Amino acid sequence: MADAPLALLAELTHRCPLRCPYCSNPAELTRASAELSTAEWARVFNEAAALGCLQIHLSGGEPTARRDIVEIVAAARAAGLYTNLITAGVLLDAPLMGRLVEAGLDHVQLSVQDAEEAGAERIGGMKGAMAKKRVAAALVTASGLPLTLNAVVHRQNLHNLPRLIEIALEWGAGRIEVAHVQYYGWALANRAALLPTRAQLDEATRIVEAARAAHRGRLVIDYVVPDYHAARPKACMGGWGRRFLGVSPAGNILPCHAAESITGMAFPNVRETSLAAAWGESPAFNAFRGTGWMPEPCRGCEHAERDWGGCRCQAFALTGDAAATDPACALSPHHGMLAEALAEAGETSFRYREFR
Ligand code: SF4
Ligand code: FES
């Protein structure tokens, strides 16, 4: 069995006041009536701790859209987990912040959609969001909790990257994640509007490197690059079934947060299967574990244990076969699809995330 995962991503709900066109939630969003209860989440947290997890990321959708978010944080803390809240911040006020701190919250990761109010509101699809996020950041830092900003970057906000980094400093964040969009689910539907040009990508990389040097010791900058301009794929999830463990709002146990985009694949559910059994024995977690499943040209490739064949969700989204070599690899017979998508990019309007 693969080593136990160190962290659990708990997607508490798909409900969210924002409608970001690159949301990593599946196209078919789960309704509130199907969500796990507080008690079920508490059991999942205990199972995660027993499995060896040290951290929990409470995510969504918007996790604070759950009325029991304080009880959920308390349950994670009671299980002995370091608890990170991944939030858009627009529902956070002083009383809720106080109750979350009291319940044992350890860290907050706050998303920002753009550095300019108008851009942020257009991309997130919510009026007034930016002002609320500024208030949320102040509440977090005033409470003494560490703050990370998460900036998803793409064709329509990369011109503001220097300003996004300044905002992280102004709002008191110790870390900013500059994450290029990854293309599956909603982001794939909006790919023509989101894909950056090569020049934008190169400029972003230069800006990140300069900012890292300028703010060393004050701001950590994590940088996630897109692979449409690459010749080698990323080792997505650190390899399927090797590190990542997630639970969806309805309790599906996932080897990748986007795994439900692979239609036809069945996932174990916490209502019937323990996290340990899902991690160790389930067909879903073992489907692409290691290198035995790999097709040509991955089989026998010298990079096979470095990139693990790339991303299964991207392979499925682009080729219809989750077991294919990721088209981001220059050795894939489908690699030309990426250049075609880049050539077709330039759309300006979005298809916003919504419940169908
Ligand atoms: Fe990675 Fe497969 Fe490409 Fe080799 S052929 S570099 S293992 S994706
Ligand atoms: Fe699912 Fe890459 S996003 S494996």
Side-chain angles (χ1 to χ4, degrees):
M1 178 168 132
D3 288 348
L6 293 178
L8 172 74
L9 178 74
E11 292 191 337
L12 300 179
T13 178
H14 282 160
R15 288 172 286 140
C16 183
L18 274 77
R19 299 181 292 138
C20 303
Y22 47 73
C23 181
S24 64
N25 289 162
E28 289 297 334
L29 297 168
T30 298
R31 298 200 173 268
S33 55
E35 290 173 7
L36 295 182
S37 67
T38 323
E40 284 171 318
W41 277 117
R43 177 170 57 75
V44 168
F45 301 158
N46 285 325
E47 286 184 22
L51 186 58
C53 288
L54 302 174
Q55 281 189 36
I56 184 145
H57 303 289
L58 300 173
S59 172
E62 172 50 51
T64 60
R66 285 205 47 142
R67 262 178 293 192
D68 57 355
I69 185 62
V70 174
E71 289 76 12
I72 283 178
V73 167
R77 167 52 77 97
L81 297 163
Y82 181 92
T83 306
N84 175 30
L85 182 73
I86 300 178
T87 178
V90 297
L91 303 177
L92 207 58
D93 58 16
L96 178 58
M97 190 70 229
R99 291 172 64 221
L100 289 169
V101 171
E102 222 169 277
L105 185 65
D106 293 297
H107 181 274
V108 177
Q109 181 179 316
L110 178 67
S111 64
V112 278
Q113 280 65 27
D114 200 350
E116 292 165 15
E117 202 127 340
E121 293 182 356
R122 188 177 83 81
I123 294 165
M126 181 187 168
K127 273 241 153 297
M130 187 78 171
K132 292 196 165 90
K133 284 166 186 283
R134 197 177 299 116
V135 171
L139 289 170
V140 174
T141 53
S143 75
L145 291 192
L147 173 69
T148 293
L149 282 203
N150 172 263
V152 175
V153 292
H154 47 80
R155 193 179 196 96
Q156 300 202 37
N157 67 2
L158 271 166
H159 58 286
N160 283 328
L161 179 55
R163 183 67 197 124
L164 280 165
I165 294 169
E166 278 171 21
I167 285 176
L169 289 162
E170 287 168 15
W171 289 8
R175 179 181 291 267
I176 180 170
E177 287 178 4
V178 177
H180 283 266
V181 171
Q182 308 292 315
Y183 294 96
Y184 18 75
W186 294 97
L188 188 62
N190 285 290
R191 187 174 63 176
L194 296 169
L195 267 178
T197 63
R198 176 88 226 186
Q200 280 184 305
L201 171 61
D202 291 346
E203 177 65 359
T205 305
R206 190 196 62 73
I207 289 166
V208 165
E209 278 164 12
R212 275 180 175 152
H215 306 303
R216 186 159 291 131
R218 194 160 157 229
L219 182 69
V220 175
I221 306 181
D222 294 330
Y223 187 48
V224 179
V225 293
D227 48 14
Y228 271 60
H229 293 281
R232 294 256 181 274
K234 58 190 177 289
C236 200
M237 303 294 118
W240 185 277
R242 286 175 53 80
R243 287 198 206 142
F244 182 91
L245 178 64
V247 175
S248 78
N252 281 346
I253 309 172
L254 305 174
C256 160
H257 62 277
E260 287 173 306
S261 66
I262 304 175
T263 50
M265 191 159 193
F267 299 99
N269 190 283
V270 297
R271 288 176 170 140
E272 290 116 30
T273 310
S274 69
L275 290 188
W279 178 262
E281 297 147 29
S282 68
F285 276 76
N286 284 299
F288 309 116
R289 205 169 236 158
T291 56
W293 61 274
M294 288 184 174
E296 298 286 345
C298 293
R299 185 173 302 149
C301 173
E302 59 175 316
H303 301 286
E305 294 198 0
R306 245 173 274 152
D307 64 33
W308 304 102
C311 173
R312 295 307 86 223
C313 299
Q314 181 153 277
F316 179 79
L318 297 183
T319 74
D321 178 6
T325 294
D326 184 345
C329 178
L331 301 173
S332 158
H334 301 287
H335 189 59
M337 297 174 84
L338 275 59
E340 282 165 27
L342 285 166
E344 284 164 14
E347 172 65 49
T348 50
S349 61
F350 295 130
R351 187 179 145 214
Y352 288 101
R353 168 201 202 272
E354 59 183 355
F355 281 84
R356 291 207 184 116

